[in-house]
Amino acid sequence: MEELATEKEAEESHRQDSVSLLTFILLLTLTILTIWLFKHRRVRFLHETGLAMIYGLIVGVILRYGTPSTSGHDKPFSCSQEDRPFTTLLVNVSGKFFEYTLKGEISPGKIHNVEQNDMLRKVTFDPEVFFNILLPPIIFHAGYSLKKRHFFRNLGSILAYAFLGTAVSCFIIGNLMYGVVKLMKLVGQLSDKFYYTDCLLFGAIISATDPVTVLAIFNELHADVDLYALLFGESVLNDAVAIVLSSSIVAYQPTGENTHAFDAAAFFKSVGVFLGIFSGSFMMGAVTGVVTALVTKFTKLHCFPLLETALFFLMSWSTFLLAEACGFTGVVAVLFCGITQAHYTYNNLSVESRSRTKQLFEVLHFLAENFIFSYMGLALFTFQKHIFSPIFIIGAFVAIFLGRAAHIYPLSFLLNLGRRHKISWSFQHMMMFSGLRGAMAFALAIRDTATYSHQMMFSTTLLIVFFTVWIVGGGTTPMLSWLNIRVGVDPDQDPPPTNDSFQVLQGDGQDSARRNRTKQESAWLFRLWYSFDHNYLKPILTHSGPPLTTTLPSWCGLVARCLTSPQVYDNQEQLREEDSDFILNDGDLTVTYGDTTITANGSSGPHTATTNLDNRRTKSSSEEALERDLGAADHEVTSRGTRLVFPLEYNA
């Protein structure tokens, strides 16, 4: 009879597992159908992630209040001889041993209110599921789909916003929330310990921005590409910085009796932890990408696209787990692995594998992101340890607003001192408005909910995500209109010059102007790195770039011939990155006005036309290489003659 009862319990548990997974699949299915309806009707006031949260809320209410309790056998036992909890407990019941695992601490006041609904327990996932299964495809897709042209053109600003801005936001929010905690203690609203380090941890968690709603609307409306690049680049690197910051704050352990007081040695140790974890994770992600590139180059996996795609997928995902296993941060590792894979490995893949990998990670990113947002709605009612404090919640909203303002406006002012194209006030206001919180903040908050302070932080984070996705995300389109930000912009087309008294009418003039503008505005850091990458790394890791026999010293001839792919010699038109965008270093745009030739660097002189034997414009070798490598010459015109230039007529 006991064995039969055990089998029935196992069967019932299996059925509940199936129902819980089916619930999330139905949520995603309903979300997809509603997204189609919204796109068909051109509805933009609510993004797909907001829809997923609403459906999650509805299902959470049904599970919470519409399903009966299924068990009531829990009985507390006392183990007064032990001074710490055990992760695994073996209990002897009538000579039979049963294994129990630790679920978490329960406060004495809630010992008789432990949730007895098995279904609610089933739909409450282990936080490690988010980190090890759902986050990797989201972060990898961000790096793998990165559009390089506008990213590298704004690289310096993006790094400043992501690193310095996130740190500023973290410490401002943390210090303001510490004042809020002191106020709560003063008015008697704080029932347990809440340390300064907890406030800083909350600042790091909530500084992780996720403007997925805003970026989706930007992409749909074709908003200004530089604004899109600034927001997207900041959000990609910001997540990595936030998670490493949170790890550094957790590692802050002062010596002495008061373990939460300021200690200079512990502070600098935390800074060292931050730098060590970030650099180590970066190196691990880059090395994994390089290894994958070498494997795909020196084997004939391209003859078997299925195997090639499977290896690419496994190597990319294993980067996250390898970094976590080594004590680094998987988010940083998988992000830079994605960037490295897109820059090197992508060139070695077969045509089928290129398409498959792009689509595979795009689908995984879509499903994982919407799953997380659905679970957020569900967790509002299924999570059993919520602590909602009105003072803490209001203080958090105020602190986030002030932290975002201190993040955007002062940094933009400093960056504009050195930028050729200034970050306008309308861009700054939009970036201030677009500081949504999302999947990363939720995943960081739910990872540790063992203490009173962490439970309050998680509940507050959940409400902040709801508010920013629904209210801020829904107000994106009106805000774009109110700030007069350009929409309907071709992402591969730059705005025309504003102070011209002439007009270029020949077909290749706009392409030349775009390439010239991009190369001049590319971040100097990238321009310094490019020549080394093009001359050495690309030929070693891919089938593109110049042969190493022409770039390495003559005494390295044997190594150069071994590492250079035969395709480099066979293909005069080198392989291009189909998803790369135009980054150039050399060349000038020459425009004729009357009898005068004006170049992009400001020089002028009598009009002369320079052509070679096949009627092509003469270029430097580096410009040709850059165009081949980064796709700048996708639409080259084979016959280029003298530009036809007409002055614009001014109406009196």
PDB file of all heavy atoms in Angstrom, residues 170-184 194-196 198-200 202-203 206 391-400 456 460:
ATOM      1  N   CYS A 170      24.441  53.589  -9.599  1.00  0.00           N
ATOM      2  CA  CYS A 170      24.421  52.625  -8.500  1.00  0.00           C
ATOM      3  C   CYS A 170      24.659  53.300  -7.156  1.00  0.00           C
ATOM      4  O   CYS A 170      23.906  53.079  -6.200  1.00  0.00           O
ATOM      5  CB  CYS A 170      25.463  51.539  -8.752  1.00  0.00           C
ATOM      6  SG  CYS A 170      25.799  50.458  -7.338  1.00  0.00           S
ATOM      7  N   PHE A 171      25.677  54.150  -7.078  1.00  0.00           N
ATOM      8  CA  PHE A 171      26.022  54.764  -5.791  1.00  0.00           C
ATOM      9  C   PHE A 171      25.013  55.854  -5.396  1.00  0.00           C
ATOM     10  O   PHE A 171      24.720  56.018  -4.209  1.00  0.00           O
ATOM     11  CB  PHE A 171      27.438  55.323  -5.841  1.00  0.00           C
ATOM     12  CG  PHE A 171      28.495  54.265  -5.715  1.00  0.00           C
ATOM     13  CD1 PHE A 171      29.141  53.761  -6.836  1.00  0.00           C
ATOM     14  CD2 PHE A 171      28.823  53.731  -4.476  1.00  0.00           C
ATOM     15  CE1 PHE A 171      30.099  52.768  -6.721  1.00  0.00           C
ATOM     16  CE2 PHE A 171      29.781  52.741  -4.351  1.00  0.00           C
ATOM     17  CZ  PHE A 171      30.425  52.259  -5.477  1.00  0.00           C
ATOM     18  N   ILE A 172      24.465  56.560  -6.355  1.00  0.00           N
ATOM     19  CA  ILE A 172      23.447  57.565  -6.022  1.00  0.00           C
ATOM     20  C   ILE A 172      22.183  56.880  -5.507  1.00  0.00           C
ATOM     21  O   ILE A 172      21.624  57.266  -4.472  1.00  0.00           O
ATOM     22  CB  ILE A 172      23.146  58.445  -7.245  1.00  0.00           C
ATOM     23  CG1 ILE A 172      24.315  59.393  -7.509  1.00  0.00           C
ATOM     24  CG2 ILE A 172      21.859  59.241  -7.038  1.00  0.00           C
ATOM     25  CD1 ILE A 172      24.118  60.286  -8.699  1.00  0.00           C
ATOM     26  N   ILE A 173      21.730  55.850  -6.217  1.00  0.00           N
ATOM     27  CA  ILE A 173      20.533  55.127  -5.763  1.00  0.00           C
ATOM     28  C   ILE A 173      20.792  54.467  -4.416  1.00  0.00           C
ATOM     29  O   ILE A 173      19.942  54.516  -3.508  1.00  0.00           O
ATOM     30  CB  ILE A 173      20.120  54.085  -6.814  1.00  0.00           C
ATOM     31  CG1 ILE A 173      19.650  54.773  -8.090  1.00  0.00           C
ATOM     32  CG2 ILE A 173      19.015  53.183  -6.273  1.00  0.00           C
ATOM     33  CD1 ILE A 173      19.348  53.816  -9.234  1.00  0.00           C
ATOM     34  N   GLY A 174      21.958  53.843  -4.249  1.00  0.00           N
ATOM     35  CA  GLY A 174      22.269  53.181  -2.988  1.00  0.00           C
ATOM     36  C   GLY A 174      22.275  54.130  -1.808  1.00  0.00           C
ATOM     37  O   GLY A 174      21.715  53.825  -0.744  1.00  0.00           O
ATOM     38  N   ASN A 175      22.886  55.306  -1.972  1.00  0.00           N
ATOM     39  CA  ASN A 175      22.934  56.266  -0.865  1.00  0.00           C
ATOM     40  C   ASN A 175      21.569  56.873  -0.571  1.00  0.00           C
ATOM     41  O   ASN A 175      21.210  57.075   0.599  1.00  0.00           O
ATOM     42  CB  ASN A 175      23.954  57.367  -1.188  1.00  0.00           C
ATOM     43  CG  ASN A 175      25.388  56.900  -0.993  1.00  0.00           C
ATOM     44  OD1 ASN A 175      25.910  56.862   0.115  1.00  0.00           O
ATOM     45  ND2 ASN A 175      26.033  56.524  -2.089  1.00  0.00           N
ATOM     46  N   LEU A 176      20.794  57.163  -1.614  1.00  0.00           N
ATOM     47  CA  LEU A 176      19.449  57.688  -1.385  1.00  0.00           C
ATOM     48  C   LEU A 176      18.572  56.656  -0.690  1.00  0.00           C
ATOM     49  O   LEU A 176      17.786  56.993   0.213  1.00  0.00           O
ATOM     50  CB  LEU A 176      18.819  58.117  -2.710  1.00  0.00           C
ATOM     51  CG  LEU A 176      19.415  59.365  -3.376  1.00  0.00           C
ATOM     52  CD1 LEU A 176      18.774  59.601  -4.738  1.00  0.00           C
ATOM     53  CD2 LEU A 176      19.214  60.591  -2.485  1.00  0.00           C
ATOM     54  N   MET A 177      18.685  55.403  -1.087  1.00  0.00           N
ATOM     55  CA  MET A 177      17.876  54.359  -0.455  1.00  0.00           C
ATOM     56  C   MET A 177      18.316  54.107   0.984  1.00  0.00           C
ATOM     57  O   MET A 177      17.497  53.701   1.822  1.00  0.00           O
ATOM     58  CB  MET A 177      17.961  53.063  -1.270  1.00  0.00           C
ATOM     59  CG  MET A 177      17.310  53.141  -2.640  1.00  0.00           C
ATOM     60  SD  MET A 177      15.650  53.848  -2.610  1.00  0.00           S
ATOM     61  CE  MET A 177      14.791  52.662  -1.585  1.00  0.00           C
ATOM     62  N   TYR A 178      19.584  54.344   1.294  1.00  0.00           N
ATOM     63  CA  TYR A 178      20.014  54.218   2.680  1.00  0.00           C
ATOM     64  C   TYR A 178      19.336  55.283   3.548  1.00  0.00           C
ATOM     65  O   TYR A 178      18.945  55.008   4.686  1.00  0.00           O
ATOM     66  CB  TYR A 178      21.530  54.349   2.771  1.00  0.00           C
ATOM     67  CG  TYR A 178      22.087  54.034   4.145  1.00  0.00           C
ATOM     68  CD1 TYR A 178      21.931  52.775   4.701  1.00  0.00           C
ATOM     69  CD2 TYR A 178      22.762  55.003   4.878  1.00  0.00           C
ATOM     70  CE1 TYR A 178      22.448  52.479   5.959  1.00  0.00           C
ATOM     71  CE2 TYR A 178      23.275  54.722   6.136  1.00  0.00           C
ATOM     72  CZ  TYR A 178      23.108  53.454   6.671  1.00  0.00           C
ATOM     73  OH  TYR A 178      23.607  53.174   7.918  1.00  0.00           O
ATOM     74  N   GLY A 179      19.165  56.480   2.978  1.00  0.00           N
ATOM     75  CA  GLY A 179      18.407  57.510   3.686  1.00  0.00           C
ATOM     76  C   GLY A 179      16.957  57.107   3.863  1.00  0.00           C
ATOM     77  O   GLY A 179      16.338  57.371   4.912  1.00  0.00           O
ATOM     78  N   VAL A 180      16.373  56.455   2.847  1.00  0.00           N
ATOM     79  CA  VAL A 180      14.989  55.980   2.953  1.00  0.00           C
ATOM     80  C   VAL A 180      14.872  54.917   4.038  1.00  0.00           C
ATOM     81  O   VAL A 180      13.899  54.900   4.826  1.00  0.00           O
ATOM     82  CB  VAL A 180      14.510  55.427   1.595  1.00  0.00           C
ATOM     83  CG1 VAL A 180      13.156  54.742   1.732  1.00  0.00           C
ATOM     84  CG2 VAL A 180      14.432  56.544   0.561  1.00  0.00           C
ATOM     85  N   VAL A 181      15.856  54.025   4.104  1.00  0.00           N
ATOM     86  CA  VAL A 181      15.845  52.981   5.137  1.00  0.00           C
ATOM     87  C   VAL A 181      15.937  53.604   6.531  1.00  0.00           C
ATOM     88  O   VAL A 181      15.241  53.170   7.471  1.00  0.00           O
ATOM     89  CB  VAL A 181      17.001  51.990   4.894  1.00  0.00           C
ATOM     90  CG1 VAL A 181      17.193  51.075   6.105  1.00  0.00           C
ATOM     91  CG2 VAL A 181      16.740  51.167   3.646  1.00  0.00           C
ATOM     92  N   LYS A 182      16.775  54.631   6.685  1.00  0.00           N
ATOM     93  CA  LYS A 182      16.861  55.329   7.973  1.00  0.00           C
ATOM     94  C   LYS A 182      15.514  55.956   8.334  1.00  0.00           C
ATOM     95  O   LYS A 182      15.093  55.944   9.509  1.00  0.00           O
ATOM     96  CB  LYS A 182      17.943  56.403   7.904  1.00  0.00           C
ATOM     97  CG  LYS A 182      19.377  55.861   7.886  1.00  0.00           C
ATOM     98  CD  LYS A 182      19.724  55.179   9.187  1.00  0.00           C
ATOM     99  CE  LYS A 182      21.182  54.757   9.232  1.00  0.00           C
ATOM    100  NZ  LYS A 182      21.520  54.043  10.493  1.00  0.00           N
ATOM    101  N   LEU A 183      14.821  56.526   7.331  1.00  0.00           N
ATOM    102  CA  LEU A 183      13.495  57.103   7.573  1.00  0.00           C
ATOM    103  C   LEU A 183      12.501  56.029   7.987  1.00  0.00           C
ATOM    104  O   LEU A 183      11.691  56.238   8.906  1.00  0.00           O
ATOM    105  CB  LEU A 183      13.014  57.821   6.309  1.00  0.00           C
ATOM    106  CG  LEU A 183      11.601  58.411   6.365  1.00  0.00           C
ATOM    107  CD1 LEU A 183      11.510  59.495   7.443  1.00  0.00           C
ATOM    108  CD2 LEU A 183      11.207  58.979   4.999  1.00  0.00           C
ATOM    109  N   MET A 184      12.543  54.876   7.325  1.00  0.00           N
ATOM    110  CA  MET A 184      11.656  53.770   7.687  1.00  0.00           C
ATOM    111  C   MET A 184      11.906  53.318   9.118  1.00  0.00           C
ATOM    112  O   MET A 184      10.956  53.011   9.865  1.00  0.00           O
ATOM    113  CB  MET A 184      11.862  52.606   6.718  1.00  0.00           C
ATOM    114  CG  MET A 184      11.400  52.873   5.297  1.00  0.00           C
ATOM    115  SD  MET A 184      11.869  51.541   4.164  1.00  0.00           S
ATOM    116  CE  MET A 184      11.006  50.154   4.900  1.00  0.00           C
ATOM    117  N   PHE A 194      18.529  46.032   7.662  1.00  0.00           N
ATOM    118  CA  PHE A 194      18.693  46.506   6.288  1.00  0.00           C
ATOM    119  C   PHE A 194      19.961  47.347   6.256  1.00  0.00           C
ATOM    120  O   PHE A 194      19.964  48.495   6.671  1.00  0.00           O
ATOM    121  CB  PHE A 194      17.482  47.341   5.849  1.00  0.00           C
ATOM    122  CG  PHE A 194      17.217  47.287   4.371  1.00  0.00           C
ATOM    123  CD1 PHE A 194      16.014  46.819   3.880  1.00  0.00           C
ATOM    124  CD2 PHE A 194      18.174  47.709   3.465  1.00  0.00           C
ATOM    125  CE1 PHE A 194      15.764  46.765   2.520  1.00  0.00           C
ATOM    126  CE2 PHE A 194      17.941  47.663   2.104  1.00  0.00           C
ATOM    127  CZ  PHE A 194      16.726  47.188   1.620  1.00  0.00           C
ATOM    128  N   TYR A 195      21.061  46.762   5.778  1.00  0.00           N
ATOM    129  CA  TYR A 195      22.370  47.393   5.874  1.00  0.00           C
ATOM    130  C   TYR A 195      22.652  48.303   4.676  1.00  0.00           C
ATOM    131  O   TYR A 195      21.956  48.278   3.655  1.00  0.00           O
ATOM    132  CB  TYR A 195      23.463  46.325   5.965  1.00  0.00           C
ATOM    133  CG  TYR A 195      23.354  45.444   7.187  1.00  0.00           C
ATOM    134  CD1 TYR A 195      22.946  44.121   7.074  1.00  0.00           C
ATOM    135  CD2 TYR A 195      23.655  45.949   8.450  1.00  0.00           C
ATOM    136  CE1 TYR A 195      22.853  43.307   8.188  1.00  0.00           C
ATOM    137  CE2 TYR A 195      23.573  45.140   9.574  1.00  0.00           C
ATOM    138  CZ  TYR A 195      23.163  43.827   9.444  1.00  0.00           C
ATOM    139  OH  TYR A 195      23.065  43.024  10.550  1.00  0.00           O
ATOM    140  N   TYR A 196      23.707  49.089   4.809  1.00  0.00           N
ATOM    141  CA  TYR A 196      24.133  49.985   3.737  1.00  0.00           C
ATOM    142  C   TYR A 196      24.550  49.185   2.497  1.00  0.00           C
ATOM    143  O   TYR A 196      24.263  49.583   1.360  1.00  0.00           O
ATOM    144  CB  TYR A 196      25.293  50.858   4.220  1.00  0.00           C
ATOM    145  CG  TYR A 196      25.857  51.779   3.167  1.00  0.00           C
ATOM    146  CD1 TYR A 196      25.123  52.849   2.676  1.00  0.00           C
ATOM    147  CD2 TYR A 196      27.146  51.573   2.670  1.00  0.00           C
ATOM    148  CE1 TYR A 196      25.645  53.686   1.707  1.00  0.00           C
ATOM    149  CE2 TYR A 196      27.680  52.410   1.706  1.00  0.00           C
ATOM    150  CZ  TYR A 196      26.924  53.461   1.229  1.00  0.00           C
ATOM    151  OH  TYR A 196      27.441  54.292   0.266  1.00  0.00           O
ATOM    152  N   ASP A 198      23.291  46.423   1.570  1.00  0.00           N
ATOM    153  CA  ASP A 198      22.051  45.999   0.917  1.00  0.00           C
ATOM    154  C   ASP A 198      21.515  47.102   0.012  1.00  0.00           C
ATOM    155  O   ASP A 198      21.003  46.827  -1.081  1.00  0.00           O
ATOM    156  CB  ASP A 198      21.002  45.616   1.960  1.00  0.00           C
ATOM    157  CG  ASP A 198      21.396  44.389   2.767  1.00  0.00           C
ATOM    158  OD1 ASP A 198      22.057  43.498   2.193  1.00  0.00           O
ATOM    159  OD2 ASP A 198      21.062  44.330   3.961  1.00  0.00           O
ATOM    160  N   CYS A 199      21.621  48.347   0.458  1.00  0.00           N
ATOM    161  CA  CYS A 199      21.167  49.481  -0.354  1.00  0.00           C
ATOM    162  C   CYS A 199      22.015  49.618  -1.617  1.00  0.00           C
ATOM    163  O   CYS A 199      21.489  49.885  -2.705  1.00  0.00           O
ATOM    164  CB  CYS A 199      21.212  50.770   0.459  1.00  0.00           C
ATOM    165  SG  CYS A 199      20.095  50.796   1.871  1.00  0.00           S
ATOM    166  N   LEU A 200      23.340  49.438  -1.484  1.00  0.00           N
ATOM    167  CA  LEU A 200      24.202  49.494  -2.662  1.00  0.00           C
ATOM    168  C   LEU A 200      23.897  48.341  -3.615  1.00  0.00           C
ATOM    169  O   LEU A 200      23.921  48.518  -4.846  1.00  0.00           O
ATOM    170  CB  LEU A 200      25.669  49.441  -2.244  1.00  0.00           C
ATOM    171  CG  LEU A 200      26.267  50.703  -1.618  1.00  0.00           C
ATOM    172  CD1 LEU A 200      27.727  50.469  -1.255  1.00  0.00           C
ATOM    173  CD2 LEU A 200      26.141  51.896  -2.568  1.00  0.00           C
ATOM    174  N   PHE A 202      20.999  46.945  -4.010  1.00  0.00           N
ATOM    175  CA  PHE A 202      19.767  47.335  -4.701  1.00  0.00           C
ATOM    176  C   PHE A 202      20.065  48.353  -5.797  1.00  0.00           C
ATOM    177  O   PHE A 202      19.482  48.296  -6.888  1.00  0.00           O
ATOM    178  CB  PHE A 202      18.770  47.920  -3.697  1.00  0.00           C
ATOM    179  CG  PHE A 202      17.483  48.384  -4.327  1.00  0.00           C
ATOM    180  CD1 PHE A 202      16.551  47.479  -4.788  1.00  0.00           C
ATOM    181  CD2 PHE A 202      17.206  49.739  -4.459  1.00  0.00           C
ATOM    182  CE1 PHE A 202      15.363  47.906  -5.376  1.00  0.00           C
ATOM    183  CE2 PHE A 202      16.034  50.179  -5.036  1.00  0.00           C
ATOM    184  CZ  PHE A 202      15.107  49.259  -5.495  1.00  0.00           C
ATOM    185  N   GLY A 203      20.991  49.277  -5.524  1.00  0.00           N
ATOM    186  CA  GLY A 203      21.382  50.249  -6.545  1.00  0.00           C
ATOM    187  C   GLY A 203      21.990  49.574  -7.764  1.00  0.00           C
ATOM    188  O   GLY A 203      21.714  49.965  -8.906  1.00  0.00           O
ATOM    189  N   ILE A 206      19.057  47.578  -9.697  1.00  0.00           N
ATOM    190  CA  ILE A 206      18.072  48.412 -10.374  1.00  0.00           C
ATOM    191  C   ILE A 206      18.718  49.328 -11.408  1.00  0.00           C
ATOM    192  O   ILE A 206      18.018  49.989 -12.193  1.00  0.00           O
ATOM    193  CB  ILE A 206      17.262  49.232  -9.346  1.00  0.00           C
ATOM    194  CG1 ILE A 206      15.826  49.441  -9.820  1.00  0.00           C
ATOM    195  CG2 ILE A 206      17.953  50.530  -9.014  1.00  0.00           C
ATOM    196  CD1 ILE A 206      15.025  48.181  -9.953  1.00  0.00           C
ATOM    197  N   ILE A 391       6.854  53.282   1.676  1.00  0.00           N
ATOM    198  CA  ILE A 391       7.939  54.264   1.776  1.00  0.00           C
ATOM    199  C   ILE A 391       9.125  53.832   0.926  1.00  0.00           C
ATOM    200  O   ILE A 391       9.711  54.630   0.184  1.00  0.00           O
ATOM    201  CB  ILE A 391       8.363  54.448   3.250  1.00  0.00           C
ATOM    202  CG1 ILE A 391       7.202  54.997   4.074  1.00  0.00           C
ATOM    203  CG2 ILE A 391       9.570  55.375   3.358  1.00  0.00           C
ATOM    204  CD1 ILE A 391       7.515  55.155   5.549  1.00  0.00           C
ATOM    205  N   PHE A 392       9.473  52.550   1.003  1.00  0.00           N
ATOM    206  CA  PHE A 392      10.609  52.043   0.231  1.00  0.00           C
ATOM    207  C   PHE A 392      10.318  52.119  -1.264  1.00  0.00           C
ATOM    208  O   PHE A 392      11.198  52.479  -2.071  1.00  0.00           O
ATOM    209  CB  PHE A 392      10.912  50.597   0.642  1.00  0.00           C
ATOM    210  CG  PHE A 392      12.212  50.072   0.120  1.00  0.00           C
ATOM    211  CD1 PHE A 392      13.393  50.287   0.803  1.00  0.00           C
ATOM    212  CD2 PHE A 392      12.261  49.354  -1.067  1.00  0.00           C
ATOM    213  CE1 PHE A 392      14.607  49.811   0.326  1.00  0.00           C
ATOM    214  CE2 PHE A 392      13.463  48.870  -1.555  1.00  0.00           C
ATOM    215  CZ  PHE A 392      14.637  49.097  -0.857  1.00  0.00           C
ATOM    216  N   ILE A 393       9.093  51.809  -1.672  1.00  0.00           N
ATOM    217  CA  ILE A 393       8.729  51.817  -3.088  1.00  0.00           C
ATOM    218  C   ILE A 393       8.774  53.234  -3.647  1.00  0.00           C
ATOM    219  O   ILE A 393       9.360  53.485  -4.713  1.00  0.00           O
ATOM    220  CB  ILE A 393       7.333  51.188  -3.286  1.00  0.00           C
ATOM    221  CG1 ILE A 393       7.384  49.703  -2.935  1.00  0.00           C
ATOM    222  CG2 ILE A 393       6.847  51.394  -4.714  1.00  0.00           C
ATOM    223  CD1 ILE A 393       6.022  49.046  -2.861  1.00  0.00           C
ATOM    224  N   ILE A 394       8.180  54.193  -2.936  1.00  0.00           N
ATOM    225  CA  ILE A 394       8.186  55.588  -3.398  1.00  0.00           C
ATOM    226  C   ILE A 394       9.619  56.118  -3.436  1.00  0.00           C
ATOM    227  O   ILE A 394      10.041  56.787  -4.388  1.00  0.00           O
ATOM    228  CB  ILE A 394       7.297  56.456  -2.495  1.00  0.00           C
ATOM    229  CG1 ILE A 394       5.836  56.022  -2.628  1.00  0.00           C
ATOM    230  CG2 ILE A 394       7.439  57.937  -2.849  1.00  0.00           C
ATOM    231  CD1 ILE A 394       4.900  56.707  -1.644  1.00  0.00           C
ATOM    232  N   GLY A 395      10.382  55.819  -2.387  1.00  0.00           N
ATOM    233  CA  GLY A 395      11.780  56.249  -2.360  1.00  0.00           C
ATOM    234  C   GLY A 395      12.578  55.658  -3.501  1.00  0.00           C
ATOM    235  O   GLY A 395      13.452  56.325  -4.077  1.00  0.00           O
ATOM    236  N   ALA A 396      12.282  54.410  -3.874  1.00  0.00           N
ATOM    237  CA  ALA A 396      13.001  53.763  -4.977  1.00  0.00           C
ATOM    238  C   ALA A 396      12.712  54.468  -6.300  1.00  0.00           C
ATOM    239  O   ALA A 396      13.625  54.685  -7.111  1.00  0.00           O
ATOM    240  CB  ALA A 396      12.612  52.287  -5.060  1.00  0.00           C
ATOM    241  N   PHE A 397      11.465  54.833  -6.541  1.00  0.00           N
ATOM    242  CA  PHE A 397      11.121  55.531  -7.787  1.00  0.00           C
ATOM    243  C   PHE A 397      11.833  56.886  -7.862  1.00  0.00           C
ATOM    244  O   PHE A 397      12.352  57.272  -8.915  1.00  0.00           O
ATOM    245  CB  PHE A 397       9.611  55.712  -7.895  1.00  0.00           C
ATOM    246  CG  PHE A 397       8.898  54.535  -8.488  1.00  0.00           C
ATOM    247  CD1 PHE A 397       8.239  53.621  -7.676  1.00  0.00           C
ATOM    248  CD2 PHE A 397       8.897  54.334  -9.858  1.00  0.00           C
ATOM    249  CE1 PHE A 397       7.584  52.529  -8.219  1.00  0.00           C
ATOM    250  CE2 PHE A 397       8.245  53.237 -10.415  1.00  0.00           C
ATOM    251  CZ  PHE A 397       7.583  52.331  -9.597  1.00  0.00           C
ATOM    252  N   VAL A 398      11.846  57.612  -6.746  1.00  0.00           N
ATOM    253  CA  VAL A 398      12.520  58.914  -6.725  1.00  0.00           C
ATOM    254  C   VAL A 398      14.029  58.730  -6.934  1.00  0.00           C
ATOM    255  O   VAL A 398      14.662  59.465  -7.707  1.00  0.00           O
ATOM    256  CB  VAL A 398      12.242  59.642  -5.400  1.00  0.00           C
ATOM    257  CG1 VAL A 398      13.066  60.922  -5.300  1.00  0.00           C
ATOM    258  CG2 VAL A 398      10.754  59.962  -5.277  1.00  0.00           C
ATOM    259  N   ALA A 399      14.614  57.739  -6.266  1.00  0.00           N
ATOM    260  CA  ALA A 399      16.057  57.499  -6.394  1.00  0.00           C
ATOM    261  C   ALA A 399      16.430  57.100  -7.812  1.00  0.00           C
ATOM    262  O   ALA A 399      17.471  57.529  -8.344  1.00  0.00           O
ATOM    263  CB  ALA A 399      16.488  56.418  -5.406  1.00  0.00           C
ATOM    264  N   ILE A 400      15.603  56.292  -8.451  1.00  0.00           N
ATOM    265  CA  ILE A 400      15.884  55.870  -9.828  1.00  0.00           C
ATOM    266  C   ILE A 400      15.846  57.068 -10.773  1.00  0.00           C
ATOM    267  O   ILE A 400      16.704  57.215 -11.657  1.00  0.00           O
ATOM    268  CB  ILE A 400      14.865  54.793 -10.269  1.00  0.00           C
ATOM    269  CG1 ILE A 400      15.144  53.492  -9.537  1.00  0.00           C
ATOM    270  CG2 ILE A 400      14.921  54.584 -11.777  1.00  0.00           C
ATOM    271  CD1 ILE A 400      14.070  52.460  -9.740  1.00  0.00           C
ATOM    272  N   MET A 456      12.312  42.436   0.238  1.00  0.00           N
ATOM    273  CA  MET A 456      11.752  43.760  -0.032  1.00  0.00           C
ATOM    274  C   MET A 456      12.311  44.322  -1.338  1.00  0.00           C
ATOM    275  O   MET A 456      11.572  44.935  -2.132  1.00  0.00           O
ATOM    276  CB  MET A 456      12.057  44.714   1.130  1.00  0.00           C
ATOM    277  CG  MET A 456      11.416  46.089   0.989  1.00  0.00           C
ATOM    278  SD  MET A 456      11.852  47.220   2.334  1.00  0.00           S
ATOM    279  CE  MET A 456      11.104  46.386   3.720  1.00  0.00           C
ATOM    280  N   THR A 460       9.978  45.256  -4.686  1.00  0.00           N
ATOM    281  CA  THR A 460      10.049  46.608  -5.237  1.00  0.00           C
ATOM    282  C   THR A 460      10.530  46.586  -6.678  1.00  0.00           C
ATOM    283  O   THR A 460      10.001  47.316  -7.536  1.00  0.00           O
ATOM    284  CB  THR A 460      10.981  47.480  -4.378  1.00  0.00           C
ATOM    285  OG1 THR A 460      10.544  47.444  -3.018  1.00  0.00           O
ATOM    286  CG2 THR A 460      10.985  48.915  -4.866  1.00  0.00           C
TER     287      THR A 460
END
